[in-house]
Amino acid sequence: MTRLSKHPAGAISSGVPTLVDDLIAAVQEQNPHEPEFLQAVREVVSSLVVVLQKHPEYRKAKILERMVEPERVIQFRVPWLDDAGEVCVHRGCRVEFSSAIGPYKGGLRFHPSVNLSILKFLGFEQVFKNSLTTLPIGGGKGGANFDPKGKSDMEVMRFCQSFMSELYRHIGHNTDVPAGDIGVGAREIGYLFGQYKRLANEFTGSITGKALQWGGSHIRPEATGYGVAYFAAAMLETRGESFQGKTCVVSGAGNVAQHAVEKLIELGAKVVTLSDTSGFVHDPAGIDTEKLAWVKNLKNKRRGQMEEYVDAFPKASFTPADPTLHYNPLWAIAADCVFPCATQNEINAKDCEHLTANGVTLICEGANMPTTPDGVDILLEHRILFGPGKAANAGGVAVSALEMAQNSMRITWSREEVDRRLHEIMRSIHDTCADAAETYGTPGNYVNGANIAGFCKVADAMLDQGLV
Ligand code: NDP
């Protein structure tokens, strides 16, 4: 018997905080080398004390104890040949976390930092996020410690084909439906789908993020970034404000950042920064649609670094990334609204002190878990509007689910139709989080709201489906 099941059913009604502490300790003991996963579990579980107090049936069925354990983890070898004819070997993985409300659904990440802890944190978050979308999708995540950066198209293709040669037997449109994430964009999705189709001998919606001409959905590339802006606009509305005339700081320069900036500009905001692993650009005049088109070409076609921006737009400045600093000067730039759209733990407590000192109004997470827990505490203490990633960036997976629906029906909705649905979904996620936060006694706390609302739907499905 593992420590996760040590509580006799019913013996814990008055000791929920202890139960939660014990659960966190047990997860820590069983996953000692998985700091990101522990961080994600701790955040969610802390929000759920009030829910467990109110719902003895969740405690009795040990819903939370079951939810912190993935249903299945698949790890595999990915051998491939580089252009010089050298054999290379990487590690691939798919974490199928929860199928309580639908097929496993979540992206694939190709990045040298990928390990089980990161994929489990992302898969765990995905369960709650997907639950919030209102659509029938479970949670999963996968990837490999492979870096597409600096590889030729043929090397990327050979890697993707080898990766899919193993993964294809575990996925399917009714089982598990991967999509993109960091390092997996349109090119990689094309190669992955091509190999899937060849091996499975069927053309189904088993991967989302496909190109429009062969099964993709309008707005899927834009969906995460647009959704972040829609979610943030809904948060601003609660204070009678809009983006008109607001200055925004955005990190990242990939899929999420590019489309968040696109929508923010459309909504009347002035975006003054973008970043990547080389550092960040500060363009006080604002990154307009023309400059954004230049960035898209740089990152998506030429695959260059943001340091080149200042050659094209000399009035902007570039600050190189400095890993020796204990804070990121990007977050010390004065702004009304802030959008971390690069990676996990990119804003720490020191950064949050800078943000609050500068009087920031809103922080909305485009990336997954970009703010450290002590940073989040500071933002909430200052009553800053804070949109957690699992709610604010759910637009991408929501439109992926719309892509699945279109594939099943073999039809294509118009751009306007998908954008309308995305907008509605983001509004619904916002309202669901706000309502749950209020119902459970923490009005305005979207972190608690997202965790509670996401949890309850999955928990109820698990109760209905018995001990599986
Ligand atoms: P991309 O690979 O398209 O872009 C990531 C960007 O972040 C790049 O500019 C990259 O720089 C930068 N970056 C990555 N790691 C670091 C780092 N350690 N320090 C500084 N910059 C870094 O990924 P996405 O835009 O798709 O994803 C960004 C975030 O959004 C991730 O957290 C992802 O999980 C999350 N997300 C993505 C969704 C999607 O639909 N794509 C959906 C929901 C969440 P460089 O170009 O130099 O590598």
Side-chain angles (χ1 to χ4, degrees):
M1 187 163 80
T2 69
R3 278 201 59 195
L4 288 181
S5 58
K6 79 173 191 172
H7 287 281
I12 48 177
S13 52
S14 59
V16 171
T18 315
L19 163 77
V20 164
D21 286 347
D22 284 357
L23 180 80
I24 291 171
V27 174
Q28 187 151 12
E29 190 181 304
Q30 289 187 10
N31 308 277
H33 306 299
E34 299 182 359
E36 293 87 359
F37 175 55
L38 277 170
Q39 183 182 332
V41 168
R42 198 172 276 129
E43 186 225 85
V44 167
V45 167
S46 316
S47 295
L48 295 178
V49 172
V50 280
V51 182
L52 295 178
Q53 267 160 346
K54 215 170 161 178
H55 291 277
E57 70 277 20
Y58 294 157
R59 302 198 304 266
K60 185 163 189 295
K62 297 213 164 69
I63 295 292
L64 203 47
E65 289 86 336
R66 284 194 267 154
M67 277 176 74
V68 296
E69 201 61 37
E71 287 178 18
R72 189 178 299 115
V73 176
I74 301 144
Q75 186 179 299
F76 50 95
R77 178 169 68 199
V78 189
W80 60 284
L81 276 184
D82 71 12
D83 286 346
E86 284 289 318
V87 172
C88 306
V89 185
H90 285 86
R91 180 176 287 178
C93 187
R94 184 75 179 162
V95 180
E96 296 183 334
F97 226 109
S98 168
S99 61
I101 57 172
Y104 310 107
K105 181 89 198 84
L108 296 171
R109 178 176 289 193
F110 290 169
H111 193 269
S113 65
V114 163
N115 58 35
L116 192 56
S117 173
I118 289 180
L119 294 181
K120 279 174 68 180
F121 121 63
L122 290 165
F124 185 69
E125 292 271 299
Q126 197 82 45
V127 175
F128 299 87
K129 180 188 307 193
N130 293 3
S131 163
L132 288 170
T133 61
T134 71
L135 301 165
I137 38 179
K141 199 82 188 188
N145 59 348
F146 167 77
D147 191 356
K149 214 181 282 176
K151 305 285 190 303
S152 71
D153 286 352
M154 288 304 98
E155 288 177 321
V156 171
M157 183 183 78
R158 286 195 291 274
F159 176 82
C160 288
Q161 291 182 339
S162 180
F163 183 86
M164 188 51 78
S165 296
E166 175 58 35
L167 188 68
Y168 92 97
R169 69 189 86 243
H170 307 289
I171 64 173
H173 64 292
N174 286 324
T175 313
D176 183 353
V177 186
D181 190 77
I182 290 179
V184 179
R187 172 183 60 171
E188 290 77 15
I189 291 289
Y191 294 145
L192 289 164
F193 184 77
Q195 184 73 348
Y196 175 81
K197 179 173 65 91
R198 181 191 199 186
L199 294 170
N201 194 29
E202 56 176 33
F203 197 117
T204 55
S206 301
I207 299 180
T208 58
K210 301 185 288 299
L212 194 56
Q213 304 85 328
W214 45 271
S217 173
H218 281 289
I219 304 281
R220 176 57 190 94
E222 297 90 337
T224 308
Y226 280 16
V228 171
Y230 291 148
F231 190 92
M235 287 199 294
L236 284 176
E237 249 179 57
T238 64
R239 295 195 180 167
E241 294 183 41
S242 78
F243 276 119
Q244 211 58 48
K246 294 259 188 315
T247 299
C248 300
V249 160
V250 177
S251 70
N255 173 279
V256 179
Q258 290 170 16
H259 296 106
V261 171
E262 191 166 289
K263 188 53 77 177
L264 289 170
I265 296 171
E266 197 185 308
L267 296 177
K270 177 159 104 169
V271 179
V272 295
T273 67
L274 277 171
S275 74
D276 64 11
T277 47
S278 71
F280 71 87
V281 292
H282 182 204
D283 189 342
I287 298 169
D288 57 19
T289 45
E290 194 189 319
K291 292 171 181 171
L292 181 61
W294 184 92
V295 171
K296 284 185 182 178
N297 185 53
L298 172 79
K299 298 306 291 185
N300 308 347
K301 299 254 162 42
R302 293 201 285 120
R303 302 187 189 277
Q305 293 301 94
M306 283 305 286
E307 57 204 354
E308 291 181 41
Y309 185 94
V310 283
D311 299 332
F313 308 105
K315 286 189 181 142
S317 61
F318 176 76
T319 306
D322 181 354
T324 63
L325 289 178
H326 298 302
Y327 66 97
N328 185 344
L330 169 63
W331 308 121
I333 293 173
D336 302 302
C337 303
V338 165
F339 296 86
C341 297
T343 193
Q344 64 271 5
N345 292 330
E346 56 173 314
I347 301 186
N348 63 24
K350 189 84 197 151
D351 296 319
C352 288
E353 283 168 15
H354 291 146
L355 291 168
T356 52
N358 278 335
V360 70
T361 308
L362 170 147
I363 297 182
C364 194
E365 296 185 331
N368 284 310
M369 208 168 74
T371 317
T372 58
D374 48 356
V376 175
D377 288 345
I378 293 172
L379 302 176
L380 294 178
E381 270 163 32
H382 283 77
R383 302 197 61 75
I384 286 167
L385 289 169
F386 177 71
K390 67 168 74 67
N393 72 28
V397 74
V399 173
S400 274
L402 299 182
E403 182 176 330
M404 290 163 70
Q406 293 169 81
N407 290 162
S408 296
M409 294 187 284
R410 300 194 189 282
I411 58 169
T412 304
W413 290 325
S414 67
R415 190 178 168 84
E416 293 70 32
E417 172 69 10
V418 180
D419 196 29
R420 185 187 62 73
R421 286 175 187 257
L422 170 65
H423 206 154
E424 255 173 32
I425 290 168
M426 296 314 298
R427 159 65 65 182
S428 156
I429 295 173
H430 172 274
D431 294 352
T432 301
C433 295
D435 290 349
E438 179 127 14
T439 304
Y440 283 90
T442 51
N445 184 328
Y446 292 90
V447 177
N448 282 347
N451 289 335
I452 292 169
F455 169 80
C456 288
K457 184 171 167 190
V458 177
D460 290 339
M462 289 174 74
L463 284 181
D464 290 346
Q465 292 168 23
L467 190 52
V468 291

